[in-house]
Amino acid sequence: KLTSITIPSSVKSIGGSAFWLCPELNSIVVEPDNKDYDSRGNSNAIIKTSDNMLMVVCRNTVIPNSVTSIATCAFSGFEGLTSIAIPNSVKKIGNSAFRNCSGLTSMDIPDSVTTIGENAFSGCSSLVSVSLSNSLTSIDNSLFRGCSNLKSVVIPNKVNTIGYLAFEGCSSLTSMDIPDSVTDIGHHAFSGCSSLVSVSLSNSLTSIENSLFQGCSNLKSVVIPNTVKTIG
């Protein structure tokens, strides 16, 4: 039932997930003379001043243009979150940053973002569409695991790795086009994608990992490139 937080100037350290799962939280203020943290621009957030990291958020948080990273689990568990604008200043989204945000319906990730941590969007069961940053080089482990309403994802052309369980349980995903930049796809990456009908695999793959398409009960065609040497 916590609704507001005021951080005094004396606070020098705030631990990870310090105010996690406080769904009624709607106001966050850091006193202006705090040297380590701030809530700049009426952001309704706690930002670590030294590295511009967004650490603690609430349902009224607006991410300022000066933030460069979103901390681990920052928005995790905010079921009422339906949308959030990520500014072009953000370069990194931490592990589990939006995990289990079951009300989130869409996400537009700007090209400034070069890293998205594992589980960042896992359990976002209402997520229908995602626009990924063209600067990404990997789709991390379990990134969209359990996003059961996700219908389409475009894999950027710089991505070389798709982690294990990356799209596991994405039961509304109907097709997947994997660019030739991808050299490695982890085990169970598409397991449980029961609506998946067709897959275009990267011509740079050398192996099909264990249980890659386990439970893909509607999969009608997969073209395995000549570069593949092993099937798990």
Side-chain angles (χ1 to χ4, degrees), residues 12 36-38 40 46-55:
K12 298 182 180 297
D36 298 287
Y37 299 96
D38 64 80
R40 68 191 71 165
I46 299 175
I47 299 164
K48 190 175 181 181
T49 305
S50 61
D51 56 9
N52 298 305
M53 177 187 286
L54 185 75
M55 291 190 62

Side-chain angles (χ1 to χ4, degrees), residues 30-42:
V30 180
E31 289 187 349
D33 51 352
N34 189 302
K35 296 180 180 179
D36 298 287
Y37 299 96
D38 64 80
S39 54
R40 68 191 71 165
N42 297 316

Side-chain angles (χ1 to χ4, degrees), residues 155-178:
I155 307 292
N157 287 324
K158 289 184 179 180
V159 170
N160 50 52
T161 303
I162 297 176
Y164 61 80
L165 296 166
F167 296 94
E168 192 267 342
C170 292
S171 55
S172 296
L173 202 61
T174 57
S175 64
M176 179 60 65
D177 189 357
I178 301 169

Side-chain angles (χ1 to χ4, degrees), residues 16-35:
S17 305
F19 299 97
W20 187 42
L21 295 180
C22 296
E24 300 301 316
L25 189 60
N26 56 43
S27 173
I28 301 174
V29 175
V30 180
E31 289 187 349
D33 51 352
N34 189 302
K35 296 180 180 179

